[in-house]
Amino acid sequence: MKNLLILFFLLTVTSCYGLNKLDVKLTVVDENQEPVPDANVRMIFYALNTPELVTAVTDKEGVVTAHGETYIELEVSAEKEGYYKSQLKFDTRKKDDNGKLVVSDQDIKLILRKKVNPIALYAKKVSIKFPNTDKPIGFDLATGSFVAPYGIGQNTDLYLTMEKEVKSNKHFYQSVIITFPQEMDGFTKAVAKNTYRSSELKIDRKASIEGYGKSLDFERNKVPNEGYNMSNNLEDDCFLRIRTVVNEEGEIIKANYAKFKCESLYGVLSDSPGIRFTYYFNPEVNDRNLEFDPKRNLFTSLKNEELVFLP
C-alpha cells in the first residue's frame, strides 16, 4: 500500500509539472558588487529521483552558466577561500503572460562576504530547562549555564524568566523574558539584510553602538481553532550589551557584547519547560567584534549538540 501511494504521488507530480529544461546564469560578487573569479559553484537541479549536480568555477566576470532539467526547485551555492559560503534553494517558477506559474530560466546573483577578522569567542547552542516558572534566573555566558544554585555559572550576564499558562493541550501560553542586571545593559535587533540572506554570515560583523532596549521576550501560544502563534522575536538575531559600567555622567566606559538567537520554546505541557538558543560572547571589554571563527571556540568541552559551526 505504501509503495502504491508513493507511485501515485510520483505520477501526480510528474503529470502536473513534467520535467522542465532551463538555462541558469549565476553571477558571484562581493559586498562591493565586484566580480569574484575562481569561486567554486554548485548547482543542483531537483528531479523526483536523483538530482542533477553541476559543478563549475566562475570566470573573471564572476559568472557561471549551466543548463539542466528540474521539476520545480533549484539550489545554487558558491564558495571561495577567504569568503563565507552562500547558498540558495528556491522555486524556479514565474508567472507567464497568462498568470500561470511555469518553470523559467534563471539569472541569479550570489554575494560572497569576505572573512574580515574572525576571532575566538564563547559560542554555544543551548537547550535548557527551567527549574521553576515566574522567577528570574541568572545566566552566565562565559560558562553557558544558569548561575548557582541552578547551574555552574558565577556571573549573571542576563536573567531568564519562564512564564506559562496551560488551559489544555490545545490552549496554552508560554514565554521567556530576558532582562539585564545593569542599567545600561540591553538588546537590539541585528537585522539580517535581505542581500545577505544566502550567506553564512547574515548580520553585521560588529555589535551596534546604540539602540539597546531593556528587555526582550520570546513567546508562543496555541488557541483552539487558530493553531500556533509565535512572537516576532523568535529566530531573530539580537545583539546584547552586558556587564556595562558607566561613569558619574552616565556615560558607558566599559561593556561586553554578544549576539543571541532564540530557536524555540518547548515543554509547555511538562513540569520542565525550556528554551533553545544559540549565542556568541566576546569576553574582551569594549570589543564589539562578533565575527566568530568556528575553529577557535573558547568553550573546549562542548557536546556535539552544543557545537556552533556558523560565524
Side-chain angles (χ1 to χ4, degrees), residues 48-68:
L48 288 178
N49 296 314
T50 304
E52 178 186 354
L53 172 64
V54 176
T55 60
V57 176
T58 55
D59 62 19
K60 63 181 181 180
E61 301 298 327
V63 174
V64 163
T65 58
H67 180 81

Side-chain angles (χ1 to χ4, degrees), residues 123-138:
K124 184 178 181 180
K125 287 183 175 294
V126 175
S127 179
I128 197 165
K129 296 180 179 180
F130 285 74
N132 51 53
T133 58
D134 301 312
K135 178 181 178 180
I137 302 176

